[in-house]
Amino acid sequence: MKPLTFKPLLEFIASRRNTPFEWGVNDCCLFPADALKVLTGIDHASEFRGKYNSELGAAKALKKFGAGDLESTLTQKFGQPITPLSAMRGDVALIDIDGNTNIGLVFGNVFCPGDNGLIEQPLSFAKCAWRTSPWASR
């Protein structure tokens, strides 16, 4: 089995560090999905890609292709949520930033796209998380 290193994840985060939030391109759903695709080759957001380019469009896509909202859709895809403080690198977390619900990638802290690039918030701010890390199964 090929050893799994953090280097691809570090490189991915660095590549998106200054990329602003954009619905349907680099938003809170596609950012962690893109990271997981780099790590695992699996696109967990394939049914959503190209289906929206606005907040309203994203909400409609969650109803049409997901389970209605972010938390339910992630639970449908990845199973029951885990407590945030048990999340590890490569997991996905649900976090509120400035009153908005976001999904972020866990790498120590939680990383989410923001207006000027990545926003980093403490994992302790997360509401819940899902085990998506490829390191969990090793």
Side-chain angles (χ1 to χ4, degrees):
M1 177 182 295
K2 182 180 171 188
L4 189 59
T5 69
F6 294 123
K7 186 176 179 185
L9 190 53
L10 286 168
E11 290 172 346
F12 174 78
I13 290 170
S15 75
R16 297 285 182 94
R17 174 85 47 201
N18 298 310
T19 304
F21 181 100
E22 183 179 350
W23 289 108
V25 177
N26 187 51
D27 57 40
C28 72
C29 293
L30 295 182
F31 170 75
D34 290 346
L36 292 173
K37 188 175 177 185
V38 165
L39 292 173
T40 67
I42 299 168
D43 185 1
H44 294 285
S46 60
E47 66 270 40
F48 296 96
R49 292 188 190 277
K51 303 291 194 302
Y52 66 94
N53 61 8
S54 67
E55 184 175 8
L56 178 60
K60 288 180 179 179
L62 281 169
K63 288 184 185 352
K64 184 172 183 177
F65 305 108
D69 59 44
L70 289 173
E71 189 170 348
S72 300
T73 299
L74 289 169
T75 298
Q76 183 179 59
K77 285 185 165 295
F78 301 117
Q80 288 302 308
I82 60 174
T83 60
L85 294 180
S86 65
M88 59 192 301
R89 291 177 181 137
D91 285 342
V92 172
L94 187 75
I95 191 165
D96 286 332
I97 299 176
D98 298 328
N100 296 307
T101 301
N102 290 273
I103 302 168
L105 178 71
V106 176
F107 195 85
N109 287 325
V110 180
F111 290 84
C112 303
D115 291 340
N116 299 309
L118 291 181
I119 297 170
E120 189 174 348
Q121 294 289 318
L123 183 56
S124 61
F125 288 11
K127 177 182 174 185
C128 58
W130 290 266
R131 183 70 70 211
T132 57
S133 174
W135 291 279
S137 61
R138 294 190 171 236

